[in-house]
Structures are given as C-alpha cells and as structure tokens.
Amino acid sequence: MELLVGTAGGVFDETGRPLSSSPVVHLARRDDAWWAVGPEGLIRNGRPVTDTPNVTLNCVLPTEHTVWVGGSNARLFRLEAEELREETTFLGAPGRDKWHTPWGGPPDIRSMSEASDGVVYVNVHVGGILRFDDSGFVPTVDIESDVHQVVAHPTRPEVAATASARGWAVTVNGHDFEFNSDGLTHTYCRAVALDGDTIWVSASRGPRGGDARLFRGNLAGTEVEPVSGLPVFDGNLDTHCVLANGGFVFVGHGPEVWGSTDSGASWELLLGDLPDVTCLA
C-alpha cells in the first residue's frame, strides 16, 4: 500500500521522500493523481491547479465526475474547467441558518467522503452531516452532534461512520446514525476510519487533546477497545490522520507516522522526523 503523508512542510511518501514543499491540510487520491488543499489553494500531483477563492480550503474529494473542495464559512466548490466554482445549492441547504461553532465563529466544511454508489457525505463543523444524492443535500445527524469527520465504507454503499464530540456513530442505511461511546476512555473523537468490518476511532479529553488514543471495534458491535502497541499521544489524533485499508493501518501525529500491517496487532514507527503531520492518504 503506497502511503502519502501531508504535513505543514509539504507532502512526503512512505520513505520520507518529499514530493512537494507546499503546506497541506488535506490529501486525497483517485486513480493516478493525488490532490491536496492548503494555503496555496488546490494542488494536483504537487502543482497548483487554480487560485484560492476568498476562503480557507479545508478538504478535497476527487470523484468520477468532479473534484469537490470544502472551505471555511461552510462553502462548497466543484472543479470545472480548471476553476473552482461554488456549489450554489449548498448555500440553501436545509438547516444552514443554524450552523455555528462552539466559539461563535462561522462554520466550516471539515471533511467529505464518497460512498461506492456515488453518494457524497459533507461534514459541517458545526452543522452535522449532509448527504448529497439525486434529491439534493439532505441533513442526517443532529447539528449539535459536533461531527469532526465522516467516512463512507469503501464497498458497502449504505454504511458510513463518524467521529464526534459525542463518541462515534455508524449508519447502515445511509441516513440514520447511531451514536455510541462504550469502551472509550473519553467521548471526544476526532478521527475515524473503516476497513472491512472494523471501525477505528480516536478519542481524547477534549478540543485541546490529551490522553489521545486509538480504538478499534467491529461495525456490528456496540463497544470499542483501545489499541495496544501505540503511544498515548498529547494533543489529538486529528481528523484525516487515521487511515485503514486491507489490514494496513496508519496513524499520524506531530512529526511521526506509525503503521501496522496486521490490523493493529503490532505497530512500528515508520517516520519520525517530519514537519507536523496534518493528513494521510
């Protein structure tokens, strides 16, 4: 599995070789291309694609038909003819007038994910999760759930999971998310990943972090358990910094990337002298 690491000092491969020196906050891959967003705007394979609109770009989602980009002030864009054009229907999404942040600032689009049937989930912080399909943008979880990341299952189109300030949540019908916190040391969760029947979620004491750990559970279960072999981290195991696929699991925190090739049974430090890690792909 080829790993890409996004950092405050650029993008690196799994050996620590730099691929780009532009700071990035989120990475995503599709086919032979990798996409990123950061202070220099939207980037494809290390090169700027288009100028940054008058917003901060937070996340990117390449799909078969377009590239979605989420930003500050809960603004959503599509890449069309090498230009980011605003998704104007999102400006009238149901419940938008109630979106907010705990500190009183404007809401952000924090994460996005595409299901295998093409449905797109958009996570607004704080504004819940909106599902985009043939009927438009449809709210799912309650706005006050304070969701920090949403991921769709790679092969099961009706399954998605979230990490939130209330614990983790799973939907098996694409609409109704059931929240749980059993097995967590703290209910404040920042990152979530899905691999087969396994859910991975990070939890810490709160927004400032502390006692941050990775947990593992079964999608059909109601409880997770802490993973052994990893450090207990300061700060948070943040959104986009936990990745799982085919039994491989990766965790990025500070200057380090940890990896497992056996679904978390054992771990090793893969990289340890990077700029602060912001995302994995």
Side-chain angles (χ1 to χ4, degrees):
M1 181 178 179
E2 184 182 355
L3 179 68
L4 294 180
V5 182
T7 78
V11 178
F12 297 80
D13 68 12
E14 68 271 18
T15 69
R17 178 174 64 95
L19 304 179
S20 168
S21 61
S22 300
V24 301
V25 295
H26 184 230
L27 278 167
R29 302 186 67 167
R30 186 173 182 89
D31 300 326
D32 295 328
W34 61 264
W35 300 79
V37 289
E40 296 186 13
L42 178 64
I43 297 167
R44 178 175 55 207
N45 292 338
R47 297 184 178 182
V49 176
T50 181
D51 292 337
T52 306
N54 190 27
V55 295
T56 299
L57 303 182
N58 298 326
C59 51
V60 57
L61 177 65
T63 69
E64 180 181 357
H65 302 292
T66 190
V67 176
W68 296 88
V69 178
S72 58
N73 297 299
R75 293 175 65 186
L76 183 63
F77 300 86
R78 292 180 191 247
L79 182 64
E80 298 180 8
E82 301 298 295
E83 180 181 349
L84 285 180
R85 298 182 181 177
E86 186 147 16
E87 179 62 47
T88 55
T89 58
F90 194 71
L91 296 174
R96 187 181 181 96
D97 59 332
K98 297 181 176 63
W99 299 349
H100 65 282
T101 52
W103 55 92
D108 283 342
I109 296 179
R110 189 179 179 105
S111 69
M112 299 181 290
S113 189
E114 184 188 25
S116 58
D117 60 356
V119 168
V120 171
Y121 294 93
V122 181
N123 158 212
V124 178
H125 185 249
V126 174
I129 299 169
L130 292 98
R131 171 191 168 101
F132 179 70
D133 55 24
D134 293 339
S135 57
F137 291 97
V138 179
T140 57
V141 302
D142 182 82
I143 289 173
E144 300 300 332
S145 301
D146 196 359
V147 173
H148 298 131
Q149 187 175 0
V150 61
V151 292
H153 196 281
T155 60
R156 297 163 62 182
E158 299 302 319
V159 175
T162 75
S164 82
R166 292 172 46 191
W168 82 94
V170 173
T171 178
V172 294
N173 63 11
H175 291 275
D176 303 307
F177 285 82
E178 182 174 346
F179 283 82
N180 209 322
S181 59
D182 292 347
L184 295 175
T185 49
H186 310 283
T187 61
Y188 186 85
C189 300
R190 280 279 185 93
V192 63
L194 296 175
D195 185 21
D197 293 330
T198 303
I199 182 171
W200 303 84
V201 62
S202 71
S204 72
R205 290 194 181 101
R208 292 183 175 86
D211 195 32
R213 304 167 188 258
L214 183 65
F215 295 79
R216 173 181 53 201
N218 191 287
L219 275 175
T222 59
E223 185 171 350
V224 295
E225 60 182 12
V227 171
S228 60
L230 277 178
V232 176
F233 297 97
D234 294 329
N236 280 292
L237 289 178
D238 217 344
T239 304
H240 303 307
C241 289
V242 176
L243 179 68
N245 187 354
F248 291 84
V249 192
F250 301 98
V251 172
H253 181 269
E256 299 177 343
V257 176
W258 291 76
S260 171
T261 61
D262 51 15
S263 297
S266 62
W267 294 86
E268 64 174 318
L269 180 63
L270 303 179
L271 298 169
D273 192 24
L274 297 170
D276 282 344
V277 175
T278 57
C279 52
L280 305 173

